């Protein structure tokens, strides 16, 4: 069993960044290509624009590796067309940022994962980002 390598690409750096990621993938240095990182959450791209990037990336790797998109787990529920365009769901799951107290964070994260699984409709789901800060300002019940 190897380590899955994900190369998320930021759309703010235009298509050239995605082309770099495709080149890395085609050289055999990635098992999954992650296109974009929270561009829907921030409102950087429309669904149609993101789907175009995903489809172009998939064509660029000729379907040799799965192509997905990285965003908050709930974005895959809200944007089923994006979920459908992905081969793999790359979900970010941060209990802290949703104000969950630390003692419930693991259960809450499991629920985020289950929601991403339901949205994915049988597609693989990978928690691409998670964690808990050890310094900073509390968020609601999360300290």
């Amino acid at each position: 069993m190897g380590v899955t390598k994900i190369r998320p690409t930021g759309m703010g750096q235009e298509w050239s960044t995605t082309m770099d990621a495709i080149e890395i993938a085609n050289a055999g240095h990635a098992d999954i290509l992650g296109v974009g990182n929270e561009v829907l959450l921030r409102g950087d791209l429309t669904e149609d624009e993101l789907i175009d990037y995903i489809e172009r990336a998939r064509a660029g790797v000729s379907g040799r590796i799965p192509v997905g998109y990285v965003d908050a787990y709930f974005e895959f529920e809200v944007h089923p067309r994006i979920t459908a365009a992905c081969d793999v769901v790359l979900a970010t799951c941060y209990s802290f940022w949703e104000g969950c107290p630390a003692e419930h964070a693991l259960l809450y994260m499991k629920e985020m994962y289950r929601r991403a699984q339901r949205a994915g409709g049988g597609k693989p789901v990978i928690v691409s980002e998670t964690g808990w800060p050890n310094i900073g300002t509390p968020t609601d019940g999360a300290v």
Side-chain angles (χ1 to χ4, degrees):
M1 177 192 233
V3 175
T4 300
K5 300 167 195 93
I6 301 172
R7 170 73 175 173
T9 60
M11 298 292 101
Q13 294 145 359
E14 303 304 329
W15 180 244
S16 63
T17 301
T18 303
M19 291 299 295
D20 291 344
I22 289 169
E23 186 177 322
I24 290 167
N26 285 335
H29 302 297
D31 299 312
I32 296 172
L33 179 60
V35 177
N37 189 348
E38 298 181 347
V39 297
L40 291 176
L41 184 67
R42 290 189 310 270
D44 295 345
L45 293 178
T46 66
E47 276 192 1
D48 289 335
E49 290 169 326
L50 179 55
I51 289 169
D52 181 58
Y53 276 111
I54 293 168
E55 289 173 351
R56 289 167 64 190
R58 183 176 294 109
V61 296
S62 303
R64 286 188 301 273
I65 63 171
V67 176
Y69 165 64
V70 178
D71 213 327
Y73 69 96
F74 56 83
E75 292 291 350
F76 295 97
E77 296 172 317
V78 176
H79 298 281
R81 290 178 56 227
I82 299 299
T83 309
C86 293
D87 302 317
V88 59
V89 173
L90 304 171
T92 62
C93 300
Y94 287 104
S95 303
F96 176 84
W97 293 115
E98 296 195 15
C100 179
E103 62 268 19
H104 303 294
L106 180 58
L107 289 174
Y108 194 82
M109 190 177 105
K110 287 180 180 181
E111 179 58 22
M112 289 185 251
Y113 180 77
R114 282 191 281 276
R115 286 176 60 183
Q117 282 184 309
R118 282 192 298 273
K123 293 182 180 189
V125 175
I126 296 172
V127 176
S128 57
E129 295 178 26
T130 192
W132 195 274
N134 60 359
I135 59 172
T137 305
T139 299
D140 298 326
V143 289

